Amino acid sequence: MGAFAELYEDLHGALGPQAWWPAESRFEVLVGAVLTQNAAWRNVEQAITRLRDAALFAPEAILAAPVARVAECIRPSGYYNIKTQRLRAACEAWLALGGEQGMAAMPTLALRNALLAVHGLGPESVDDVLLYGFERPVFVIDAYTRRIFSRIGVVDPRAGYDTLQQQFQADLPVDAQQFNEYHALIVQLGKSFCRPRQPRCGDCPLLSRCAHGRAEMNQRS
DNA sequence: CTCCAGAAAT
DNA sequence: ATTTCGGGAG
C-alpha cells in the first residue's frame, strides 16, 4: 500500500465518514462548483438560496434573466460580476451538452475536456462536477490538498494540478466513492488541524507521518 | 503574478 | 484590520 492509501486509512480511522455533496441535483453541483471558487461554502449556500427564492435555479431561467438580477442573487458568494459570467457560460454548456442525460452518457475524459473548454471552469471546478455530480472517479485537488500533503512531505508544493492528481490516482483504487470521501476528509483536516496559520500539529491525527508536524513538535520541546 | 471585491473568523 | 475561503482568467 502506497503513502496516499495509508494516509487515507489514517484519516478515515481518525475522523470517520464525512458524506459530502450526496443528495443534491447534478445542476446544483455545477452551480456550487462555480460559486465556491475562492469563497467559503457558507456564502455559497446563501447565494443558492437566493437563486431559488428568485425562481432562477435552472439553466434556462438563469440565461433568460437579466444579468443584473443573477448578479444580485449570487452576491453573497463574492466576485459576483465575474461569477455571473461564469455561471452563464456554465449554463450554456449544460444545455449544449444535452443536460443531465447528455452529460451522463459521455465518457469521463470527453466530458472533462468539454467542461474544461468552458469559460470559468478550471480543473478543480470541473473535477468537482465530475466526482460529486456524475460520480466519476477523478481525484479533486484543492488548496487544502496542496498544503496538507506538501507539509507531510509527499508532494512538491509547486507541482501543477495534473501532476498532483496523477500522484493520488496512481496510488489509489479507481473508486469514485473513495475519492469523494478522501477529499472530504482532506477538507475537514485542513479546517480543523492543518490550518494555514497556527496549525494544531499537536492534536493532528497525521502527526506521526508529517515532516512539518515533527519539526514543529521538536521546536516546541 | 494581479485582479476579482463578499462574509466569517481571527 | 487582516486573512481565508471546495479558483480561474488575463
Side-chain angles (χ1 to χ4, degrees):
Chain A
M1 188 159 54
F4 297 97
E6 290 178 0
L7 287 162
Y8 173 78
E9 294 302 327
D10 287 354
L11 270 179
H12 190 76
L15 302 180
Q18 302 295 308
W20 244 35
W21 246 341
E24 300 176 9
S25 70
R26 303 188 196 279
F27 180 66
E28 183 169 345
V29 175
L30 176 66
V31 174
V34 171
L35 298 185
T36 198
Q37 291 169 4
N38 208 38
W41 187 250
R42 182 166 228 147
N43 299 341
V44 176
E45 288 182 312
Q46 292 185 44
I48 289 177
T49 298
R50 292 171 65 140
L51 283 171
R52 281 222 168 82
D53 292 347
L56 289 181
F57 207 79
E60 298 88 346
I62 287 174
L63 290 172
V67 171
R69 179 189 289 265
V70 177
E72 182 58 29
C73 289
I74 68 174
R75 185 157 72 178
S77 67
Y79 309 126
Y80 53 89
N81 287 321
I82 283 190
K83 286 181 179 176
T84 297
Q85 297 307 117
R86 293 180 181 178
L87 187 55
R88 289 180 56 87
C91 288
E92 302 241 16
W94 177 272
L95 297 177
L97 293 174
E100 191 168 325
Q101 291 85 355
M103 297 168 81
M106 293 175 69
T108 299
L109 191 58
L111 180 56
R112 188 169 196 270
N113 287 330
L115 291 173
L116 279 174
V118 179
H119 180 95
L121 297 183
E124 183 177 342
S125 301
V126 165
D127 288 340
D128 277 340
V129 174
L130 291 174
L131 179 62
Y132 293 101
F134 291 90
E135 295 92 32
R136 306 301 177 92
V138 294
F139 201 94
V140 175
I141 303 297
D142 62 358
Y144 293 114
T145 311
R146 274 208 169 71
R147 182 169 73 236
I148 291 169
F149 290 85
S150 62
R151 278 176 176 168
I152 290 173
V154 292
V155 306
D156 178 354
R158 304 175 310 162
Y161 187 97
D162 292 345
T163 303
L164 276 173
Q165 184 178 53
Q166 283 169 28
Q167 277 191 261
F168 278 85
Q169 294 189 359
D171 195 38
L172 297 166
V174 182
D175 178 5
Q177 192 70 256
Q178 187 180 0
F179 288 175
N180 182 329
E181 188 63 21
Y182 204 160
H183 184 239
L185 287 164
I186 286 170
V187 172
Q188 189 55 44
L189 186 81
K191 283 181 170 173
S192 306
F193 301 98
C194 200
R195 306 179 295 197
R197 300 271 190 82
Q198 303 174 351
R200 296 168 52 198
C201 297
D203 301 322
C204 180
L206 301 184
L207 174 60
S208 64
R209 295 183 174 280
C210 180
H212 181 270
R214 286 192 297 269
E216 197 74 7
M217 290 303 99
N218 289 335
Q219 194 167 25
R220 293 176 188 275
S221 65

